[in-house]
Amino acid sequence: MKYKIDLYTRVKIDTSSDAKAYANMLCIDDQCKTFAEGFVENSQSRISLMAIVNGLEQIKVGAEVTIYVTSKYVKNTFEKGWVLNWKYNDWLKADGEPPLNVDLWMRFAVQMQRHKLTFEYVANYKKYPQLVECREIGAAILLQPNLQIDEVYRAYLEELQYKLHDLIDEHYVKEIEVVLDNADQPALNTVEEAALDVVEEPAEAIEIIVYESVYDALDEIEDEHDEEEEETEESQSHTRPTVFTRMPSDIKLLVTIRDQLNQYFADQPTKVELRSTDLYDEIRKNKALKERFPHPVLFNRFLRKQHQEGVLKQIIPNCKIDTYNTDFYQWYFHR
């Protein structure tokens, strides 16, 4: 191929809402051009994929493209060969359901044929001026009025909300006993595909310092789950809401956590905000939750998985997420 092009892509999130923006920079040698879009609501995984697809579609001729990303979502899906598997299976996964964001994956498959693609994961975006600029552009986009509406994602939310209402009946949900069955426990999220550096203020490091020593052991546990899930393409942290693989048990856990959170605020009238570390101490009063989350890191990763799937805020709307540290999200719950 004649041209070698670098594609830098960065997502910026408004943590006070579901608004998200992406910014791309296409570079040939020292010549670069940028492009950005913002949406009133979107998922981290979807907008990460959208940024790459739209960037590739701007390249008019086939080229060798190196894609610099701070999210592993698209990189892992591409490198594990899932896109081609879905394509040859009429865009269905092994479970017979279409993959999430299938409209974008179809467009991505076209670009796979046009270009020779290589992904470079960037752990520290500050080492790349192009990614720093993309982040600034994305932040500026979020300040603009009249952000776009992603109709596909909105339809997904409507379907998800409908399914959640079917699964959660307020008349009996408080009587649900969370049954801890190892075979039915949700897999831990090893491929943390949507970890994005999005908050301006430095995050406090207390959670990282306290729990860093156990990361290796927890990662070994997650690796075992991940190896099993890769065989069935479920190790992506997103499942179409019409399937709800292991989701009912996840929802029961979230509802139980929500009820304990609300009870805590009812018992503590002067308390207006609770961090995840404090909430973890609170949920350990529940025997089932204590057994399900023997360590705060596991609790954090469970919250992160539900957040990425768009479920968390529908069950516990009174929360905000600090994703400054891409390895360890911090959570704040309010009245």
Side-chain angles (χ1 to χ4, degrees):
M1 293 182 174
K2 182 178 179 180
Y3 296 101
K4 292 185 178 181
I5 299 175
D6 292 328
L7 170 59
Y8 299 87
T9 179
R10 194 81 173 89
V11 171
K12 186 71 175 71
I13 301 174
D14 182 354
T15 56
S16 64
S17 69
D18 290 328
K20 295 177 179 66
Y22 74 83
N24 289 336
M25 182 178 293
L26 285 166
C27 298
I28 302 179
D29 297 327
D30 294 333
Q31 297 182 359
C32 299
K33 71 173 184 178
T34 60
F35 178 76
E37 289 183 311
F39 298 87
V40 293
E41 57 187 4
N42 222 316
S43 70
Q44 294 179 8
S45 58
R46 180 170 177 80
I47 199 167
S48 297
L49 175 57
M50 183 185 297
I52 293 172
V53 170
N54 288 344
L56 294 173
E57 289 177 346
Q58 292 179 65
I59 304 173
K60 296 181 180 180
V61 297
E64 295 184 21
V65 185
T66 302
I67 306 171
Y68 294 85
V69 294
T70 56
S71 165
K72 295 181 181 179
Y73 169 62
V74 183
K75 176 181 182 293
N76 287 333
T77 306
F78 167 73
E79 292 180 348
K80 291 174 187 270
W82 290 341
V83 182
L84 291 179
N85 289 342
W86 296 336
K87 179 181 178 182
Y88 294 142
N89 197 34
D90 294 328
W91 293 104
L92 296 176
K93 299 189 300 179
D95 59 12
E97 291 288 334
L100 195 62
N101 303 321
V102 65
D103 59 317
L104 295 177
W105 285 119
M106 288 180 176
R107 290 166 57 189
F108 181 80
V110 173
Q111 301 309 310
M112 287 174 58
Q113 294 180 320
R114 293 183 61 227
H115 307 296
K116 181 180 178 181
L117 304 180
T118 303
F119 280 85
E120 290 288 341
Y121 172 69
V122 178
N124 184 358
Y125 78 96
K126 295 179 180 179
K127 294 182 179 180
Y128 291 80
Q130 300 91 337
L131 290 175
V132 173
E133 183 173 346
C134 285
R135 186 174 187 272
E136 293 173 351
I137 293 172
I141 290 292
L142 287 178
L143 296 177
Q144 297 180 1
N146 302 321
L147 297 176
Q148 299 181 56
I149 295 175
D150 184 341
E151 296 294 349
V152 175
Y153 182 69
R154 177 158 290 186
Y156 163 79
L157 288 182
E158 292 175 354
E159 182 183 5
L160 178 60
Q161 187 175 32
Y162 177 79
K163 293 294 181 181
L164 288 175
H165 286 166
D166 282 349
L167 288 168
I168 301 176
D169 186 333
E170 293 296 341
H171 295 293
Y172 71 80
V173 72
K174 292 184 178 180
E175 300 177 1
I176 292 176
E177 179 179 358
V178 181
V179 179
L180 295 174
D181 181 354
N182 291 333
D184 190 47
Q185 285 190 18
L188 300 175
N189 183 16
T190 302
V191 182
E192 299 183 338
E193 299 156 337
L196 300 170
D197 182 6
V198 299
V199 180
E200 299 294 341
E201 298 81 16
E204 295 182 18
I206 182 170
E207 294 187 352
I208 306 167
I209 294 172
V210 172
Y211 308 132
E212 186 175 8
S213 60
V214 300
Y215 274 178
D216 293 341
L218 292 172
D219 286 340
E220 290 178 3
I221 296 174
E222 291 195 339
D223 287 342
E224 294 176 3
H225 286 278
D226 191 50
E227 289 173 1
E228 297 175 359
E229 292 199 329
E230 284 181 5
E231 297 179 1
T232 57
E233 300 172 349
E234 292 175 5
S235 59
Q236 298 176 104
S237 62
H238 53 274
T239 302
R240 189 170 173 78
T242 53
V243 181
F244 279 111
T245 303
R246 283 190 296 270
M247 188 61 71
S249 62
D250 284 4
I251 291 175
K252 293 173 185 177
L253 287 169
L254 282 174
V255 170
T256 305
I257 293 168
R258 180 200 65 187
D259 290 345
Q260 282 204 233
L261 177 67
N262 292 339
Q263 185 61 49
Y264 174 84
F265 282 128
D267 295 339
Q268 305 285 338
T270 60
K271 195 77 172 181
V272 295
E273 187 176 75
L274 200 66
R275 290 186 54 174
S276 58
T277 48
D278 299 322
L279 178 58
Y280 177 74
D281 292 337
E282 189 67 21
I283 68 168
R284 285 177 62 82
K285 298 176 182 178
N286 181 301
K287 181 179 179 181
L289 292 178
K290 181 178 180 179
E291 293 181 8
R292 174 61 180 83
F293 304 110
H295 196 280
V297 172
L298 299 180
F299 180 57
N300 183 284
R301 289 177 177 175
F302 171 76
L303 293 177
R304 181 173 184 153
K305 179 175 182 287
Q306 304 312 312
H307 168 63
Q308 291 172 348
E309 290 175 341
V311 175
L312 178 63
K313 283 196 173 182
Q314 298 203 46
I315 305 297
I316 310 177
N318 52 325
C319 71
K320 58 182 179 180
I321 303 100
D322 181 343
T323 58
Y324 180 83
N325 184 291
T326 58
D327 292 325
F328 202 93
Y329 285 10
Q330 297 190 65
W331 311 84
Y332 301 88
F333 300 89
H334 53 86
R335 289 188 176 275

